[in-house]
Amino acid sequence: MNTPEWLKPGIYGGVIGAVVVTFVGFSWGGWMTGGGANKMARLMAESDVIAALTPVCIDMSRVDPDRIAKLATINSAASYKQRDAVIAAGWATVPGTETANRDLAQACMAALKLDAS
């Protein structure tokens, strides 16, 4: 079988072009794999849930009868232990759950402006 002379360079050009388009697409074009998209979606969902639950934490701190004592304990704790103090206060435990959420405690501290001190 005789193949035309232009076929070999055409195939090489197509393969090289596909490689270049793939490289450019994943590097600068915003393409991503399914695993990367799932990871990004999970992180976005987690941050949205924390943002939605932050007002619950703020409300729990607002209606807590021992608020003043707990705020004093949180403020007197070292900066790296303040999140644990918010968890110990019980404000980062969403009603209906048994365990506290560390990310919610961090968001609650930011909303209460406790990490500014």
Side-chain angles (χ1 to χ4, degrees):
M1 173 172 161
N2 290 336
T3 57
E5 288 185 33
W6 57 266
L7 185 61
K8 192 173 182 180
I11 291 174
Y12 286 148
V15 169
I16 291 171
V19 169
V20 168
V21 166
T22 302
F23 178 76
V24 169
F26 280 104
S27 298
W28 297 298
W31 299 356
M32 63 177 46
T33 62
N38 286 338
K39 181 179 178 182
M40 186 173 71
R42 183 179 46 80
L43 291 174
M44 287 174 56
E46 288 173 1
S47 67
D48 289 346
V49 168
I50 295 300
L53 291 176
T54 301
V56 173
C57 177
I58 300 301
D59 189 54
M60 288 171 58
S61 72
R62 188 179 49 82
V63 298
D64 191 344
D66 295 330
R67 173 186 166 94
I68 303 299
K70 289 179 180 179
L71 282 174
T73 302
I74 293 168
N75 284 328
S76 67
S79 62
Y80 64 93
K81 294 237 181 210
Q82 284 184 341
R83 179 172 52 183
D84 293 332
V86 171
I87 290 172
W91 298 342
T93 304
V94 179
T97 63
E98 294 181 13
T99 58
N101 187 311
R102 296 183 64 79
D103 294 330
L104 180 59
Q106 189 70 37
C108 191
M109 281 178 39
L112 291 171
K113 299 191 180 17
L114 297 176
D115 56 356
S117 58

